[in-house]
Amino acid sequence: MASKGDLTKARLAESMLELIQTSGYSGTGLNAVIEHAGAPKGSVYFHFPDGKEGLGVAAVDLAAKQFQALIAETAASAGSAGGAARAAIETLATIVGESDFRLGCPVSVVTLEMGAESERLRQACATAFESWIAPTAALLEGSGLKTAEAHSLATVVVSMIEGAVIVSRAMKSTQPLLSAADVVAELVDQRIQAVGATR
């Protein structure tokens, strides 16, 4: 069972993550995080001695785990790699749309805002993206693609999703994400079918 301190630390990271998505990293102050989390004032520096940067890393790590869970869930329920990709993107489209296009990918937000300013945050973002690419690549490899090709295609898939989230938010429409879902599913299935045809 998690201790009271662990629960407070987790709540702070969750609040930071949510606020990054709506206000950006630079627009999120520690006081806002404390208020949003309903945490004691001294709790941020107790749990995150390096302050906002450490809290930002925790939020990026949390976002990485959440999307990893989505990938695992869709992979388990979909009948094909293309179907899994489509299901994951359609789920993201629903999340973005239901938030009135206020929620996006916090990892891309932090990358764009802080990637050139903080090496620690840039590395956390790079690790998050790779944590999404790796299981996607494993799914593709399990469908017959060679390791290098699977990783390359997985990188393209994750990159397309990230771009589609940004365009959907700008246009206040889920169509860019739904279009990406169609294209990604078709691309993945075509590559896997091509491998099968050469065997």
Side-chain angles (χ1 to χ4, degrees):
M1 187 174 174
S3 68
K4 185 178 177 183
D6 288 339
L7 291 173
T8 299
K9 185 175 183 179
R11 205 161 66 245
L12 287 166
E14 288 164 7
S15 291
M16 183 68 172
L17 174 58
E18 197 171 317
L19 291 170
I20 286 172
Q21 291 181 93
T22 57
S23 305
Y25 179 86
S26 299
T28 298
L30 291 181
N31 287 336
V33 175
I34 291 165
E35 184 178 341
H36 188 277
K41 278 200 178 279
S43 60
V44 170
Y45 286 104
F46 178 79
H47 294 292
F48 302 96
D50 44 358
K52 186 176 177 180
E53 187 179 53
L55 192 50
V57 169
V60 167
D61 290 346
L62 179 59
K65 289 182 176 69
Q66 289 177 349
F67 193 63
Q68 274 181 289
L70 174 61
I71 294 170
E73 186 180 321
T74 52
S77 60
S80 67
R86 181 190 297 279
I89 299 170
E90 287 175 346
T91 299
L92 285 175
T94 299
I95 292 168
V96 171
E98 287 181 349
S99 75
D100 194 29
F101 303 94
R102 287 170 58 84
L103 298 182
C105 175
V107 180
S108 63
V109 170
V110 175
T111 301
L112 292 169
E113 286 190 32
M114 300 302 298
E117 305 294 325
S118 166
E119 177 59 19
R120 187 176 174 204
L121 285 169
R122 185 205 64 75
Q123 186 57 57
C125 292
T127 300
F129 286 130
E130 185 55 42
S131 79
W132 303 340
I133 291 168
T136 305
L139 181 63
L140 294 169
E141 196 172 347
S143 298
L145 297 186
K146 291 183 178 177
T147 302
E149 184 180 11
H151 190 273
S152 177
L153 182 55
T155 303
V156 169
V157 169
V158 171
S159 299
M160 285 182 70
I161 293 170
E162 287 298 305
V165 169
I166 292 170
V167 177
S168 283
R169 290 186 73 192
M171 294 185 169
K172 285 204 161 187
S173 167
T174 57
Q175 193 54 54
L177 272 163
L178 297 176
S179 296
D182 289 338
V183 172
V184 166
E186 185 178 351
L187 174 62
V188 167
D189 286 340
Q190 282 179 349
R191 294 286 283 273
I192 291 169
Q193 286 165 10
V195 170
T198 58
R199 286 183 170 177

